[in-house]
Amino acid sequence: MLNFNYNIPTKIFFGRNKIEVLAREIKNYGNKVLFVYGGRSIKRNGLYNKITNILNENNINFWELGGVDPNPRLSSVKSGIKLCRENKIELILAVGGGSTIDCAKVIGAGYYYDGDAWDIVMDSRKIKKVLPIASVLTLAATGSEMDSGAVITNMETNEKIATIHDGMAPKFSILDPTYTFSVPKNQTAAGVADIMSHIFEVYFSNTKEAYLQNRMGEALLKTCINYGKKAIDCPENYEARSNLMWTASLAINGLLSYGKETEWSVHAMEHELSAFYDITHGVGLAILTPYWMEYALNGFTVDKFVEYGVNVWGLDANDEKYEIAHNAIRKTREYFNLLGMPSSLKEVEIDDEKLEKMAKQATIRGKLGNFKVLEAEDVLNIYKSAL
Ligand code: NZQ
Ligand code: ZN
């Protein structure tokens, strides 16, 4: 196992009605809040009214930044920074999915940065300080509610870039699974694919002795497999929604990656798809993952795929190694299909026009991955196989 520093600072309030702690927790940081949210989903499911009532009843002053898009834009970040500065905001409260929370994080970092906010996305070393962030999560997927990363899209340049800073980890997050009852089937499926991909990105690793992290990763994968379809078929199944919600947070908060070399190449490849075509993150991951797995499968990596096939999919350990590996990959694809996810780029209207450009951009900061190192040409091969 590699050396690591454990640091997961976010306080989690998990379960039905945990929103009751909201006012008390906010007051630990001040009395002036920027309330950030996405489209109309929180107005439709009643959460908007609930939150504004709590803020009003507790004499908490708040300003609103609504309309944060999926694949959150730099323009929303800039509007948020302006509001924070004009009103001397003391805490940013994001209510929504990963896009809303990510946007809030970079607003918080941009508040203390004098230059263009895009600078701190491109180079997180420029982040020195961050306004306190808190979240009320409404979609189980990204883990942004408990990690220190954020992904922002610059529509003018077709760039979607991840930035990371300890200060961006939410001070507290409220995880009430009932808030995810209204998530539509396609977003539920995309969320499950995203959670599984976060686990794959750290599970498929060159670090061989991380036995504990690998078994935890398998447990989380099995939880996704067990509950993903159930949540789609029965959106108000609390057991399914709560297991998925907690799995999403644990998949990327550091527990699985501490002590391991990690991969993140499917994410880098997917971010180009959403940057150029504005597709849903989890959909892009579901398409690319099995193609990446086939591409990564070789004499050095086959044992890891066998471990995956046997421990996660219950395949017979006595079968021939490559047979197990290919079957495990096939089962991964079949599971995504069962959730209603597409299997090819064509199905999301992506053709070969920009593949070369995207492959170059995906590797602009250097080769991807460690388990299977990818250069631009490899990325292009994977994109082509996914057509
Ligand atoms: O905008 P609203 O109206 O709220 O609707 C959203 C949006 O259309 C809807 N939704 C969310 N909660 C709902 C709901 N609809 C009904 N009921 C609810 N309870 O779902 C749609 C998608 O929301 P979004 O926030 O975009 O989804 P997600 O949580 O998957 O976030 C995706 C973004 O996070 C980034 C992705 O790249 C993408 O930009 N990621 C962030 C990461 C991080 N911070 O660590 C890691 C991830 O790998 C990922 O890259
Ligand atoms: Zn992701």
Side-chain angles (χ1 to χ4, degrees):
M1 210 185 288
L2 308 178
N3 293 355
F4 62 87
N5 299 331
Y6 176 100
N7 177 27
I8 307 179
T10 305
K11 237 198 235 183
I12 296 291
F13 297 94
F14 191 101
R16 289 182 202 269
N17 302 322
K18 282 291 178 175
I19 199 75
E20 66 196 17
V21 305
L22 181 66
R24 184 193 77 203
E25 289 300 312
I26 288 176
K27 285 183 175 175
N28 290 331
Y29 300 92
N31 199 36
K32 290 179 166 187
V33 169
L34 181 69
F35 171 18
V36 182
Y37 55 93
R40 296 200 53 79
S41 76
I42 63 163
K43 292 197 172 157
R44 279 196 300 265
N45 66 15
L47 192 52
Y48 174 87
N49 281 344
K50 196 176 278 180
I51 303 260
T52 50
N53 286 343
I54 291 172
L55 298 176
N56 284 325
E57 281 161 12
N58 289 278
N59 299 319
I60 295 170
N61 299 312
F62 66 95
W63 288 261
E64 294 185 31
L65 177 71
V68 174
D69 295 297
N71 300 325
R73 320 292 198 235
L74 180 61
S75 49
S76 303
V77 170
K78 289 184 176 174
S79 308
I81 294 171
K82 192 162 171 279
L83 277 171
C84 286
R85 287 182 181 156
E86 284 169 359
N87 301 294
K88 300 205 167 24
I89 294 297
E90 292 164 304
L91 176 133
I92 306 176
L93 175 66
V95 182
S99 295
T100 300
I101 304 173
D102 285 4
C103 183
K105 287 175 174 178
V106 183
I107 293 171
Y111 179 81
Y112 290 107
Y113 181 73
D114 284 337
D116 190 295
W118 188 241
D119 298 348
I120 56 172
V121 178
M122 294 299 282
D123 183 358
S124 59
R125 289 168 305 184
K126 294 191 168 147
I127 302 175
K128 300 295 175 217
K129 208 175 158 189
V130 185
L131 271 177
I133 310 294
S135 82
V136 177
L137 184 66
T138 65
L139 201 171
T142 65
S144 187
E145 67 279 5
M146 207 180 177
D147 75 14
S148 48
V151 189
I152 300 297
T153 297
N154 185 338
M155 294 302 276
E156 287 164 23
T157 57
N158 285 127
E159 287 172 289
K160 181 174 180 183
I161 305 286
T163 184
I164 188 158
H165 187 275
D166 281 352
M168 294 200 304
K171 300 293 182 204
F172 68 92
S173 287
I174 296 175
L175 275 55
D176 181 335
T178 64
Y179 298 162
T180 65
F181 285 175
S182 57
V183 177
K185 288 182 194 309
N186 62 338
Q187 288 294 344
T188 302
V192 173
D194 192 22
I195 303 168
M196 290 177 73
S197 177
H198 296 156
I199 304 165
F200 292 143
E201 298 279 18
V202 297
Y203 181 77
F204 291 102
S205 160
N206 289 328
T207 311
K208 301 230 187 297
E209 333 79 75
Y211 181 91
L212 170 65
Q213 292 89 325
N214 291 339
R215 300 297 82 77
M216 290 197 295
E218 288 158 1
L220 296 186
L221 284 169
K222 286 165 108 164
T223 306
C224 291
I225 294 164
N226 187 41
Y227 287 112
K229 185 72 168 65
K230 288 179 184 157
I232 288 171
D233 290 344
C234 184
E236 301 202 1
N237 179 333
Y238 187 85
E239 182 180 328
R241 292 294 196 183
S242 56
N243 274 277
L244 290 173
M245 197 172 218
W246 190 220
T247 302
S249 304
L250 296 182
I252 196 174
N253 70 356
L255 279 181
L256 300 186
S257 57
Y258 284 142
K260 292 187 81 173
E261 197 175 69
T262 58
E263 197 63 8
W264 296 104
S265 36
V266 179
H267 267 68
M269 291 190 287
E270 194 295 312
H271 284 167
E272 298 309 321
L273 301 185
S274 8
F276 280 84
Y277 294 94
D278 202 19
I279 65 165
T280 300
H281 174 60
V283 171
L285 296 170
I287 294 171
L288 293 176
T289 296
Y291 297 106
W292 171 82
M293 286 178 166
E294 282 294 350
Y295 200 81
L297 175 60
N298 60 40
F300 298 106
T301 62
V302 64
D303 289 339
K304 189 71 203 176
F305 283 98
V306 170
E307 197 176 317
Y308 168 57
V310 170
N311 293 345
V312 174
W313 292 107
L315 299 178
D316 187 344
N318 296 315
D319 286 348
E320 192 272 328
K321 276 188 189 182
Y322 279 88
E323 192 187 334
I324 300 173
H326 287 299
N327 279 337
I329 298 170
R330 183 177 49 76
K331 283 195 161 288
T332 311
R333 162 66 66 221
E334 285 172 0
Y335 185 68
F336 289 150
N337 290 159
L338 180 76
L339 299 183
M341 306 297 278
S343 316
S344 67
L345 295 177
K346 229 176 276 130
E347 288 166 77
V348 290
E349 289 168 14
I350 297 179
D351 59 19
D352 59 1
E353 190 195 335
K354 294 177 182 159
L355 297 187
E356 219 161 300
K357 200 169 175 194
M358 293 194 298
K360 269 200 197 120
Q361 199 159 293
T363 50
I364 207 158
R365 294 169 159 194
K367 295 174 193 172
L368 306 180
N370 299 291
F371 180 73
K372 170 70 183 171
V373 176
L374 303 177
E375 302 194 28
E377 196 190 336
D378 302 298
V379 174
L380 182 60
N381 289 338
I382 295 170
Y383 284 151
K384 281 184 177 166
S385 66
L387 273 171

